[in-house]
Amino acid sequence: MSESLSSRETSFLINEESTERRKEFEQNLRKSGLELEIEDKRDSEDGRTYFVKIHAPWEVLATYAEVLGIKMPIKESDIPRTEHLPFNCMFAPVKLPETVKYPRPEYFTVQFNRRRQELFLIDDKATFFKSSSRNRIVYYILSRCPFGIEDGKIKFGIERLLNSNTYSSAYPLHDGQYWKPSEAPNPVNERHILHKNWARFSYFYKEQPLDLIRDYYGEKIAIYFVFLGFYTEMLFIAALVGLACFIYGLLSMGSNPSSVEICDPNVGGQMIMCPLCDQVCDYWRLNTTCWASKFSHLFDNESTVFFAIFMGIWVTLFLEFWKQRQARLGYEWDLVDFEEEQQQHQLRPEFEAMCKHRKMNAVTKEMEPHMPLFRHIPWYFLSGATVTLWMALVVTSMVAVIVYRLSVFAAFASFMESEASLQEVKRFFTPQLATSLTGSCLNFIVILILNFFYEKISAWITKMELPRTYQEYESSLTLKMFLFQFVNFYSSCFYVAFFKGKFVGYPGKYTYLFNVWRSEECDPGGCLVELTTQLTIIMIGKQIFTNIKEAIYPLVLNWWRRRKARTNSEKLYSRWEQDHDLQCFGQLGLFYEYLETVIQFGFVTLFVASFPLAPLFALINNIVEIRVDAWKLTTQYRRPVAAKAHSIGVWQDILAGMAVLSVATNAFIVAFTSDIIPRLVYYYAYSTNTTQPLSGYVNNSLSIFLTADFPNHTVPLDKRDFTTCRYRDYRNPPGDENKYLHNMQFWHVLAAKMTFIIIMEHIVFLVKFLLAWMIPDVPKDVVDRIKREKLMTVRILHDFELNKLKEKLGLNPNEFSKHVMIEENKMQLAKSTI
């Protein structure tokens, strides 16, 4: 039984038209050769649902395998399998049993042909076609089967019937219960094998049974898990290097010259800093940020530059090696001559229903529904305006969070100053850190809320655009969702990295947001710590939320559906009813999985200079993600319709674009957000201490302001006897004729920052282009294998046709061979003469 249709008889669904549609549709299915078995509604669990079970006999499978060009085995391959990992003996614990990893031997394959059935290795017709191929064939028939004529046009396809509620659902059946194997003489329960060896969290360290996933779910779903697994493997290298950089920062934290000076009571304790807000905030001593400066050094140290350059190279290697992995998959999974899945180019029922015009198709020479451009334009404008409006809403919410931080900073500062019990806590939990943490958490909550509503709106807008095919629908939705999520998840990180603290002015002449709130300043050690905090909360928070949602949501819904039924025991009702009560994976199920992975890839690459532990957290998340996705597909979702795919599609272009952008963002983070470049400028150009070149850097990086120059509306309410205070900038002192203007060191530092950006980008891009040129998209061994298979299949087909011809002509084998040899010699002689 390859497919199941369910039809629910309720007062608002059942009508004469639906009954006639179902009757004609099922008659046409029988005419196409499918076998149908209808379960009466009285035998269903709810007493009101019919189930139509569909079985495809051998003749139907053979016919449509030829139509779809499905490749089937003709001879076992003589090319040994290649193991992609060196030192395989070291990886024995992560290996799966050979029978699970490779459920079938490797074969030479050609497109199936009924006329040449004896050429193919058909041991058992019941298992010759993989289960994914069988449900593809059945769904292909369902999607093209007519069910009536309306308005002079033939109506066809299960999608239209589902859309009109003629049927409530259509889905392939799982092999059986996932918790127990099948009993002889039944076929092997692949669902149970997948659950036992793949969908269990205790197997988190094991490799994935990719061939079995492909056999059961089809290439499109399998290639997602190949990509996720490959990405996770590559993250392991990045996580190790990032962890090493973090450990270096941890070990050198105590000896960092800047932190030593800030924490020294005779240095940082004597530096009086200007108030961080107007009137309410008081003067403060630099050594109160001692712990913050040490924490900053964890991520803002010499290894930051190395790690930023390393990740620029890593992302190139990742994309290039992924191209090779795809090419290898193309050979192993018979996708070398792949043509795009025909279902993706099939007209959407919604498009057909709304079309009043017809147009000749230049390829098929048939009249088909056509929507004039002027009908699309208003919806395109509405779509563009909606996306722009929501992105503006994201920016507005970010500004609102900034206003929140500006408003509560003074409250935190005043509260912590007045509470004696918080004086010890204040050493490491400063008002700046408290504001940053609460602001980041608030921003994360706003991101999730906006994302929830935008998903609904973008799906509705895309539907109203009336895309012609499913592929056009998915492409349009991908563009909308990625643009919005890019702005939604990354805008606050871009603000902290590139805008916060860059345009604050100086004491006495600060810039104000809406002329009310004074612009945010960075910590004396820079904004990198706050960027790290922001990135950590959003990235890790999103990963935890998504995994919980993916695990809990389908589990709760399935429990509720079973609770509403007559019995909670899965053993007391049929397989088709058990599958019906599961969640539907849907055509966009993989879309959201890819989107989630790509957004995480952005966190790992775009801002990794500020948080070298990002690859480690992404690695941990992906190890869990693989098992969560496997578990929910195997146990909580109906079996999706199998589909073919030879790549990850448009997502590869998006990843390549983000890889290029990441080089620029990390270069700018190191230059403008980190404190490395100012330290280097001081080290080589301004330091006068030959034994300790960075000694005096903190004092050099802080400018002096005369407290008498404070305007009345900014002077702290509590009067102090300080004549000067310090602030982070490179400006002339009060006694200079150009007081408070940028001094020469500011321009030297700025020039050094721009020079670093240009040099780093050129180095990384040069290495990227060299690696892309040196690493072929298709490995040489794969090219050789493809050539070998083509040669062998041509020979086998030639010999087969030759033997058929012998039998047909009834010639003596020796005489026939002599005749063929004479003809070949004549041909060779003719060629040599020419």
Side-chain angles (χ1 to χ4, degrees), residues 154 171 187 197 204 263 290 315 323 335 348 425 457 510 539 548 584 591 633 659 662 704 750 762 771 775 788:
I154 297 176
Y171 52 91
N197 296 279
F204 72 91
C263 297
C290 176
V315 76
K323 290 176 187 175
L335 301 171
R348 297 175 64 244
V425 177
I457 291 173
Y510 285 115
M539 177 185 172
I548 291 175
C584 178
F591 166 80
L633 260 180
S662 69
I704 301 172
L750 181 61
H762 278 69
L771 288 173
I775 302 172
R788 171 69 180 165

Side-chain angles (χ1 to χ4, degrees), residues 103-270:
R104 296 166 182 255
E106 278 199 358
Y107 295 103
F108 293 132
T109 60
V110 294
Q111 291 188 358
F112 186 76
N113 189 310
R114 286 175 298 161
R115 191 174 61 84
R116 300 169 174 166
Q117 280 192 39
E118 57 268 36
L119 173 67
F120 295 90
L121 303 178
I122 307 176
D123 295 328
D124 183 359
K125 289 184 177 181
T127 58
F128 178 63
F129 293 105
K130 301 190 297 289
S131 58
S132 59
S133 299
R134 293 200 299 272
N135 82 56
R136 260 186 73 214
I137 289 170
V138 173
Y139 198 82
Y140 180 87
I141 298 171
L142 290 175
S143 63
R144 282 158 179 77
C145 183
F147 56 81
I149 299 175
E150 298 175 12
D151 300 326
K153 295 182 290 186
I154 297 176
K155 299 294 181 182
F156 62 89
I158 187 63
E159 292 293 337
R160 285 187 65 90
L161 294 174
L162 292 172
N163 220 43
S164 62
N165 290 323
T166 303
Y167 290 102
S168 64
S169 57
Y171 52 91
L173 292 176
H174 277 295
D175 276 4
Q177 284 102 347
Y178 63 83
W179 63 84
K180 67 177 183 179
S182 57
E183 298 177 0
N186 294 320
V188 174
N189 184 351
E190 292 181 344
R191 185 189 188 190
H192 168 71
I193 298 173
L194 284 171
H195 179 260
K196 180 182 176 182
N197 296 279
W198 179 51
R200 293 164 59 189
F201 293 99
S202 58
Y203 272 43
F204 72 91
Y205 61 94
K206 292 281 190 180
E207 60 184 343
Q208 300 183 80
L210 299 172
D211 286 353
L212 191 59
I213 298 168
R214 174 221 179 188
D215 288 352
Y216 194 72
Y217 290 112
E219 286 82 357
K220 192 171 184 179
I221 287 178
I223 206 167
Y224 161 73
F225 284 102
V226 176
F227 171 73
L228 188 57
F230 180 80
Y231 171 46
T232 305
E233 290 171 11
M234 290 294 290
L235 275 175
F236 184 75
I237 301 168
L240 283 179
V241 177
L243 184 61
C245 292
F246 176 78
I247 292 172
Y248 170 80
L250 191 65
L251 295 177
S252 60
M253 188 167 60
S255 59
N256 175 36
S258 297
S259 298
V260 170
E261 288 189 352
I262 290 172
C263 297
D264 190 345
N266 297 319
V267 182
Q270 301 304 313

Side-chain angles (χ1 to χ4, degrees), residues 300 670-686 694 697 700-701 728 730 745 748-750 752-753:
D300 188 5
V670 173
F672 285 97
T673 310
S674 134
D675 208 32
I676 289 175
I677 304 301
R679 287 203 298 264
L680 289 174
V681 171
Y682 176 80
Y683 184 97
Y684 288 108
Y686 289 90
L694 283 177
Y697 167 73
N700 175 266
S701 66
R728 181 178 173 80
Y730 294 102
Q745 188 173 351
H748 287 166
V749 171
L750 181 61
K753 289 179 177 180

